[in-house]
């Protein structure tokens, strides 16, 4: 028996704690069959959304999950705590649109109390940030976590009102920009990222305005290549405006210098040579970063997905509701993670688009 299993004191975040045998059994890092350590969990808290972005959802929406199918806050907390004990230290809450889930700040407060979590983040379309920014920042700050912050990625695909409307099918650009401004008041919420999905024939015209935003605001702008996760299944490779093309356009306006890439980061981040602002490129399609992917995903209905493009998923909700103990859940998780896909196969002959759209997976 190891020292830890015998119940010795370990240190986490500078605090002493007696390890139980159980903690010992889950302290093994969560690793896949390709040697990648899994440290980042994306949790979709709802499949619903108040936008209808063209590249994600049809105008009429999608058949939403029933309430009973969605994990409760207690169920999410239990699973996140389990993952955290296996070495997942970063959790991102997504949707659909996470801020449409009723009482969402309460969930954030519950998760912020999980001491192993170092990094809490939210991906949102920003529509309800004006209403919720203060509550979210307060909820995240209620814990002892170092920094007590929560980081935000806010999706903004156009900085022109009519084009924003055309793309999201909501006339909401002003509302989103006001939400961003509210958030920016809180130092704990920085750095704030603004994410734009890059679409050929659309985003080219947006580049100068996004460059200005990146240079003259506190936001870090990032372009994300369009991926085949749209409900309409209309994705074709020629609609992907690549990170390299965007980089060239931006660099021609204002020269860029690369910043060092953080391990497992999705974005290649640059600073403007004159020191004003940063901009990033997430080239998931043209330059996949699968080799050091450390991410897994939990859907709103409690399925574990080991890749955005997984064709299989592992049900955790069923066992959870049937009374599985943490050991059983841990075994299910480890088995699923062990089989994590080596890489996505977009652009290869055998590629199959998963049945779930981005809104039902969690970005
Ligand atoms: N390709 C790339 N990004 C997408 N998103 C949604 N659908 C797609 C897609 N098909 C983005 C959203 C948001 C995040 C959750 O994922 O714009 O930034
Ligand atoms: Fe909603 Fe995000 Fe999908 Fe747009 S991309 S419809 S904001 S879930």
């Amino acid at each position: 028996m190891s020292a830890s299993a015998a119940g010795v004191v370990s240190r986490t975040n500078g605090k002493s704690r007696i390890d139980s045998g159980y903690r010992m059994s889950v302290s093994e890092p969560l690793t896949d069959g390709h040697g990648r350590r899994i440290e980042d969990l994306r949790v979709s808290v709802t499949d619903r959304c108040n936008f209808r972005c063209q590249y994600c959802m049809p105008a009429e929406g999608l058949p939403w999950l029933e309430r009973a199918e969605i994990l409760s806050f207690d169920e999410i907390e239990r699973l996140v705590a389990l993952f955290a004990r296996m070495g997942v230290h970063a959790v991102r809450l997504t949707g659909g649109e996470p801020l449409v889930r009723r009482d969402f700040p309460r969930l954030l407060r519950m998760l912020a109390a999980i001491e192993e979590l170092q990094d809490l983040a939210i991906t949102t379309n920003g529509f309800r940030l004006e209403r919720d920014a203060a509550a979210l920042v307060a909820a995240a700050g209620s814990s002892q976590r170092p920094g007590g912050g929560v980081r935000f990625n806010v999706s903004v695909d156009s900085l022109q009102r009519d084009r924003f409307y055309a793309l999201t099918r909501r006339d909401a650009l002003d509302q989103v920009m006001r939400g961003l401004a509210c958030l920016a008041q809180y130092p704990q919420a920085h750095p704030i990222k603004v994410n734009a999905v890059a679409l050929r024939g659309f985003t080219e015209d947006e580049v100068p305005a996004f460059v200005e935003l990146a240079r003259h605001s506190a936001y870090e702008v990032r372009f994300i290549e369009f991926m085949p996760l749209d409900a309409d299944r209309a994705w074709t490779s020629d609609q992907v405006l690549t990170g390299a093309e965007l980089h060239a356009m931006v660099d021609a306006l204002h020269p860029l210098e690369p910043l060092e890439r953080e391990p497992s980061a999705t974005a290649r981040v640059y600073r403007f040579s004159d020191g004003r602002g940063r901009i990033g490129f997430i080239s998931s399609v043209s330059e996949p970063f699968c080799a050091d992917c450390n991410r897994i995903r939990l859907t709103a209905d409690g399925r574990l997905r080991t890749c955005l493009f997984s064709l299989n998923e592992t049900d955790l909700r069923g066992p959870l509701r049937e009374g599985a103990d943490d050991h059983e859940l841990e075994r299910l998780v480890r088995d699923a993670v062990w089989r994590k896909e080596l890489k996505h196969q977009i652009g290869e002959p055998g590629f199959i688009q998963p049945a779930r759209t981005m809104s039902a997976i969690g970005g």
Side-chain angles (χ1 to χ4, degrees):
M1 186 189 290
S2 77
S4 182
V8 296
V9 176
S10 72
R11 295 186 72 80
T12 311
N13 294 343
K15 281 191 229 136
S16 297
R17 183 183 69 202
I18 305 291
D19 271 352
S20 66
Y22 173 66
R23 276 189 186 272
M24 172 57 201
S25 74
V26 293
S27 64
E28 286 289 310
L30 187 55
T31 319
D32 78 2
H34 306 289
R36 293 171 296 194
R37 175 91 58 101
I38 304 306
E39 298 173 313
D40 183 319
L41 173 69
R42 313 282 163 111
V43 181
S44 167
V45 300
T46 177
D47 59 331
R48 296 178 192 230
C49 187
N50 42 5
F51 283 17
R52 296 286 181 273
C53 301
Q54 302 264 3
Y55 53 75
C56 179
M57 276 199 203
E60 65 278 13
L62 290 165
W64 310 127
L65 292 165
E66 298 288 335
R67 197 180 165 76
E69 295 178 273
I70 305 253
L71 294 182
S72 68
F73 285 178
D74 287 339
E75 288 170 334
I76 294 174
E77 180 192 38
R78 173 149 175 228
L79 290 175
V80 170
L82 182 79
F83 282 108
R85 293 197 297 268
M86 285 189 261
V88 167
H89 54 69
V91 168
R92 172 171 298 279
L93 302 171
T94 74
E97 168 50 36
L99 275 54
V100 305
R101 173 103 188 227
R102 200 190 318 146
D103 230 1
F104 178 63
R106 188 164 70 82
L107 174 66
L108 190 64
R109 185 176 298 266
M110 290 164 73
L111 300 183
I114 298 175
E115 76 179 65
E116 290 90 345
L117 290 186
Q118 292 160 16
D119 193 11
L120 257 180
I122 297 172
T123 294
T124 171
N125 63 29
F127 187 76
R128 294 201 170 166
L129 269 181
E130 193 176 30
R131 184 192 75 179
D132 289 347
L136 293 171
V137 169
S142 61
S143 74
Q144 298 301 308
R145 225 156 20 83
V150 54
R151 294 180 307 110
F152 289 82
N153 287 358
V154 182
S155 314
V156 183
D157 300 318
S158 169
L159 293 169
Q160 298 175 48
R161 183 178 164 189
D162 54 333
R163 288 161 53 86
F164 184 98
Y165 180 29
L167 199 61
T168 62
R169 303 188 179 103
R170 296 291 183 267
D171 185 10
L173 177 61
D174 288 353
Q175 178 73 39
V176 171
M177 297 310 285
R178 283 200 302 278
L180 269 167
C182 276
L183 195 58
Q185 296 173 344
Y186 300 97
Q188 316 89 295
H190 288 263
I192 298 170
K193 314 245 170 77
V194 167
N195 287 342
V197 174
L199 302 162
R200 187 177 302 285
F202 182 89
T203 308
E204 295 89 336
D205 292 345
E206 299 286 337
V207 170
F210 276 118
V211 166
E212 288 311 301
L213 187 72
R215 289 171 57 74
H216 299 289
S217 73
Y219 315 134
E220 179 179 313
V221 172
R222 293 135 33 113
F223 293 106
I224 308 177
E225 290 180 358
F226 178 32
M227 293 181 280
L229 292 168
D230 54 320
D232 295 338
R233 299 180 169 260
W235 183 93
T236 51
S237 61
D238 57 324
Q239 295 172 70
V240 180
L241 181 62
T242 66
E245 290 172 279
L246 284 159
H247 176 276
M249 286 179 230
V250 174
D251 190 62
L253 293 171
H254 289 284
L256 293 172
E257 287 173 9
L259 292 169
E260 202 173 315
R261 180 173 178 254
E262 288 175 17
S264 300
T266 53
R268 302 281 161 160
V269 184
Y270 295 75
R271 66 181 199 114
F272 291 98
S273 303
D274 60 5
R276 261 185 187 273
R278 295 166 158 220
I279 201 157
F281 306 91
I282 303 180
S283 305
S284 348
V285 178
S286 66
E287 295 170 65
F289 32 77
C290 308
D292 64 353
C293 176
N294 64 351
R295 290 172 288 283
I296 52 175
R297 293 177 155 81
L298 182 64
T299 65
D301 54 344
R303 267 58 172 179
L304 182 67
R305 293 180 62 87
T306 48
C307 175
L308 270 177
F309 299 95
S310 289
L311 298 174
N312 301 304
E313 41 194 43
T314 300
D315 180 26
L316 298 180
R317 186 192 68 195
L320 188 70
R321 291 187 180 172
E322 283 151 22
D325 66 18
D326 282 355
H327 287 287
E328 292 167 68
L329 292 173
E330 183 196 346
R331 190 184 49 75
L332 285 171
V333 168
R334 287 194 187 278
D335 285 353
V337 164
W338 185 256
R339 297 189 303 269
K340 180 171 158 68
E341 296 75 353
L342 178 61
K343 61 187 188 68
H344 71 60
Q345 308 202 320
I346 303 172
E348 293 173 24
F351 177 74
I352 302 170
Q353 179 166 341
R356 285 180 189 263
T357 64
M358 189 66 128
S359 62
I361 299 172

